[in-house]
Amino acid sequence: MTTDFLSLEELKHKVNVLIGALYPHCDSQELTEQCLAAIGPRISKDVVAPERLWSEKDCLLITYGNSIREAGHKPLDTLQHFLHNHLQGVFSAVHVLPFFPFSSDDGFAVIDYTQVDPELGDWDDINALAQDFKLMADLVINHVSSQSLWFRNYQYGKDPGRGYFVEADPNYDLSNVVRPRTSPLLRKTDTADGTKHVWCTFSHDQVDVDFRNEKVLLEYLSIIGRYLDEGAQWIRLDAVAFLWKQLGTSCIHLHETHEVIKLVRLLTEYKNAHALLISETNVPNRENLTYFGNSNEAHIIYNFSLPPLVIHALLAGDCTYLKTWMMTMPPSPVGCTYLNFTASHDGVGLRPAEGLLDEGELQQMLQTLESFGGRISSRTDAEGNSKPYEANISLYDAFKGTYKGSDQWQVERLISSQTIMLAVEGIPAFYIHTLFATHNDYDKVKTTGHNRSINRCNWSLSDLNERLGKENGPGQRVFNELQRLIKIRAKQPAFHPNATQFTLHIRPEIFAFWRQSMQRNQSIFCIYNLSDQPQQLNLADINLISTENWVDLISGNAIEDLCDTITLAPYQNLWLTNYCSQ
């Protein structure tokens, strides 16, 4: 339910209750009014039914502002023109990764949340993108750059910034703190009040803010309000799981973190009824699911377990682990859905595979990805042991072969992975380099010294046009076919993000599931040969209703005999439906 079903007084009451629990030292009514003032005047008061927040037409593109460059042009302007000319009508939404001035981590160490990085463009360029697409903006909510005004002011004891950061005694036992990096947690910092040790979950250039200070909350509500005013509709809560710090705990997924998200959702929906919150929590699956709350936290959560399981299935030619996971996944609650992706600006997260892939399977997958040019990044667990944290590799090169080695099916495996993602319950999200079948960028890794740079290539527009224009080349084949599949998907009500989904049981080489539209007038049987060998499929095994006509949406071929046995070519995909709306 959105806040548009609430009166202003009911909204204030809900906010006041949350404020009172989070900040008992404050006047909760006064802080409630300050929160409403910080988020700013309302943009939209429309009533939005939960099932209408998204549809089968929604598909997200993930990109950096400078993923495509052209000499003499601002990168955001180049991106906008490329997307407008090639992908408008294909994607409904675009996620431009942090486009603010930054000091490290390709944008995730933000210096100033209120400015667009002049190396990329300006707010007019962001507004132009928001005219063509629903815009997702990053709220890097856990930390700021050590070069930000807030942190500099903190060091000098000035506002704003004084009291904004988490300090800890280096002699305190912090071994229970969960974090994704191997660098020391605390950064020694000289301040006007002497030497302090400040909390840095990710790096010493990314200093954690202290949400126990209500002024920090107000700062971020003001930033959200600015994003919404500038045309953003989707707000991505980066690294939100680590937001609240409490000594003596793991400092991840704390109760207060969930309460802050509830508060942010209430106020964001008040500001714009069409606005959506997306939680970015790269953690084991069960922990990730908690960010739906009781349909009152994130509208959308990243389906972090999907990438490692899809990659494993296609490398192994075996859907056992992928199928087992899918059978355990709950339907998303009312007013919520999943964001499905197989590649992103980060590596392939391995924590979301914990408890889903056994150690032997995980190690075999990582060894194979390394043989295809990938790098493995690690983290330190509570016992001080180094554990694999993510695999860094372009998705195209991840599918260079199978456990048996390289082969000729690289393009087919890549397309199959995306065809799976397009059909699974939720909203599909494509990383721009998957569309282009971009290779590992070893030169960028060498330049930056960071493994993640391997999948953060910056294309020159001329080189990209050459790749996409090469007749029957991998770039052209992938780019054209994925666009075609996205357009087919957008016409199928059974691919609504909340449409019913059931897993089918055939055999390890064939992954299959069934989607049914909420109006129950369309069924789609999604069937994938995950192996490099032809596979026989007896259509009687999937129980197609004999009184209806069936067609494969992907090939356009009709099914003449529902008891026939058909041969699936290596990595062939079927979307069999009784309701063709191509």
Side-chain angles (χ1 to χ4, degrees):
M1 180 180 292
T2 71
T3 56
D4 294 283
F5 293 94
L6 302 175
S7 68
L8 181 57
E9 289 308 310
E10 289 172 322
L11 172 67
K12 287 183 178 180
H13 173 71
K14 286 179 173 288
V15 171
N16 186 67
V17 170
L18 290 168
I19 289 290
L22 286 166
Y23 304 102
H25 58 281
C26 294
D27 182 325
S28 60
Q29 292 186 345
E30 180 181 350
L31 186 51
T32 295
E33 296 295 338
Q34 290 174 332
C35 288
L36 289 166
I39 201 80
R42 304 187 78 176
I43 295 172
S44 170
K45 300 180 182 180
D46 297 341
V47 173
V48 183
E51 67 274 11
R52 297 181 65 84
L53 289 169
W54 39 70
S55 77
E56 59 273 13
K57 294 179 173 58
D58 280 307
C59 190
L60 177 70
L61 178 70
I62 305 167
T63 179
Y64 277 103
N66 62 357
S67 289
I68 307 173
R69 293 176 171 176
E70 184 179 14
H73 294 267
K74 296 179 292 185
L76 282 172
D77 184 53
T78 299
L79 177 67
Q80 193 272 332
H81 280 89
F82 182 89
L83 299 185
H84 181 88
N85 293 334
H86 295 281
L87 296 174
Q88 194 172 20
V90 179
F91 291 93
S92 64
V94 60
H95 173 201
V96 182
L97 289 152
F99 46 79
F100 320 104
F102 69 97
S103 54
S104 64
D105 198 17
D106 281 347
F108 287 92
V110 178
I111 293 174
D112 186 348
Y113 293 92
T114 66
Q115 300 296 322
V116 174
D117 185 350
E119 294 292 321
L120 297 177
D122 53 34
W123 281 113
D124 287 342
D125 298 307
I126 294 296
N127 297 153
L129 280 165
Q131 293 298 314
D132 287 345
F133 305 92
K134 299 172 186 175
L135 177 67
M136 182 193 290
D138 279 285
L139 186 70
V140 184
I141 196 170
N142 179 72
H143 49 263
V144 299
S145 167
S146 64
Q147 297 181 30
S148 65
L149 175 65
W150 292 353
F151 192 66
R152 292 201 308 271
N153 281 350
Y154 160 77
Q155 290 175 289
Y156 288 106
K158 296 166 55 178
D159 292 323
R162 182 174 53 184
Y164 280 21
F165 299 93
V166 182
E167 300 173 352
D169 184 341
N171 296 315
Y172 192 89
D173 183 5
L174 298 170
S175 59
N176 288 331
V177 174
V178 172
R179 53 195 298 263
R181 299 289 186 271
T182 57
S183 58
L185 175 62
L186 300 182
R187 165 188 163 141
K188 186 176 180 181
T189 303
D190 292 329
T191 76
D193 296 324
T195 300
K196 303 293 183 182
H197 293 82
V198 294
W199 199 286
C200 299
T201 297
F202 290 89
S203 79
H204 282 191
D205 187 43
Q206 295 164 292
V207 190
D208 289 35
V209 293
D210 191 351
F211 263 84
R212 295 172 300 180
N213 182 342
E214 69 280 4
K215 292 180 181 179
V216 171
L217 170 70
L218 294 173
E219 292 277 16
Y220 279 94
L221 290 176
S222 178
I223 293 165
I224 293 171
R226 174 68 183 272
Y227 291 178
L228 297 174
D229 287 337
E230 294 288 356
Q233 289 192 41
W234 296 10
I235 306 296
R236 177 180 180 270
L237 302 177
D238 176 68
V240 70
F242 303 97
L243 179 139
W244 198 275
K245 312 299 187 298
Q246 184 64 50
L247 293 179
T249 73
S250 65
C251 296
I252 188 171
H253 312 314
L254 297 190
H255 171 74
E256 291 86 353
T257 293
H258 289 278
E259 297 299 285
V260 170
I261 298 173
K262 292 174 187 176
L263 178 61
V264 170
R265 174 160 174 169
L266 279 170
L267 292 165
T268 300
E269 288 183 336
Y270 161 80
K271 172 80 172 182
N272 184 348
H274 298 275
L276 303 175
L277 292 184
I278 297 88
S279 63
E280 189 270 329
T281 49
N282 189 359
V283 295
N285 193 52
R286 181 173 293 188
E287 299 170 29
N288 190 35
L289 291 170
T290 65
Y291 285 85
F292 280 141
N294 186 22
S295 296
N296 58 353
E297 293 186 36
H299 297 86
I300 303 172
I301 65 172
Y302 278 78
N303 217 343
F304 273 108
S305 297
L306 186 64
L309 292 176
V310 166
I311 291 171
H312 170 269
L314 284 160
L315 295 183
D318 186 333
C319 72
T320 301
Y321 291 92
L322 177 61
K323 182 179 70 174
T324 300
W325 165 76
M326 182 173 276
M327 288 189 297
T328 66
M329 284 294 284
S332 53
V334 174
C336 300
T337 194
Y338 298 105
L339 188 72
N340 296 320
F341 72 109
T342 51
S344 74
H345 62 290
D346 289 338
V348 179
L350 301 176
R351 287 207 70 208
E354 290 179 9
L356 302 176
L357 286 177
D358 68 36
E359 187 63 25
E361 291 289 341
L362 177 62
Q363 289 304 317
Q364 187 174 16
M365 181 177 77
L366 296 183
Q367 290 167 10
T368 302
L369 293 178
E370 284 187 297
S371 75
F372 296 156
R375 312 290 174 87
I376 308 302
S377 298
S378 301
R379 68 181 178 92
T380 302
D381 65 16
E383 287 73 41
N385 302 313
S386 179
K387 299 190 67 174
Y389 176 70
E390 66 182 17
N392 304 109
I393 191 169
S394 83
L395 192 64
Y396 181 51
D397 281 346
F399 292 128
K400 189 177 290 186
T402 68
Y403 288 165
K404 295 179 285 188
S406 299
D407 61 24
Q408 73 272 34
W409 302 108
Q410 187 173 10
V411 167
E412 287 78 8
R413 267 187 293 272
L414 180 68
I415 291 173
S416 182
S417 72
Q418 303 311 283
T419 310
I420 291 170
M421 181 186 73
L422 278 166
V424 172
E425 177 192 348
I427 298 171
F430 288 79
Y431 187 40
I432 196 167
H433 292 301
T434 302
L435 290 181
F436 305 152
T438 302
H439 286 290
N440 293 331
D441 191 339
Y442 300 113
D443 288 340
K444 193 165 188 180
V445 172
K446 185 176 180 180
T447 298
T448 66
H450 298 299
N451 288 345
R452 283 181 168 180
S453 297
I454 203 168
N455 198 24
R456 296 179 178 181
C457 174
N458 303 109
W459 279 100
S460 74
L461 184 60
S462 59
D463 288 347
L464 179 60
N465 285 335
E466 181 180 348
R467 181 167 181 77
L468 300 183
K470 186 176 182 180
E471 190 67 28
N472 206 37
Q476 185 184 83
R477 290 172 61 193
V478 171
F479 190 62
N480 291 343
E481 180 63 5
L482 293 184
Q483 288 185 75
R484 188 180 77 89
L485 292 169
I486 294 168
K487 290 177 181 178
I488 292 172
R489 179 190 187 277
K491 298 178 181 179
Q492 316 307 323
F495 284 147
H496 185 284
N498 298 115
T500 299
Q501 175 173 289
F502 286 107
T503 310
L504 303 180
H505 304 271
I506 299 180
R507 59 181 176 275
E509 297 84 358
I510 297 178
F511 179 51
F513 53 94
W514 171 67
R515 302 294 307 277
Q516 184 181 58
S517 64
M518 291 185 286
Q519 299 79 18
R520 298 182 181 276
N521 62 340
Q522 182 185 34
S523 290
I524 301 179
F525 289 86
C526 307
I527 302 167
Y528 307 89
N529 178 5
L530 301 180
S531 77
D532 58 2
Q533 299 297 315
Q535 297 292 328
Q536 300 299 308
L537 174 67
N538 188 342
L539 292 175
D541 290 342
I542 56 177
N543 298 320
L544 302 178
I545 298 174
S546 61
T547 57
E548 297 179 336
N549 297 318
W550 294 86
V551 65
D552 173 27
L553 290 167
I554 295 176
S555 68
N557 296 331
I559 302 299
E560 303 295 343
D561 183 352
L562 302 188
C563 294
D564 199 5
T565 296
I566 62 175
T567 300
L568 296 175
Y571 306 108
Q572 183 178 351
N573 313 301
L574 302 177
W575 285 345
L576 302 181
T577 187
N578 59 341
Y579 171 93
C580 187
S581 59
Q582 292 191 73

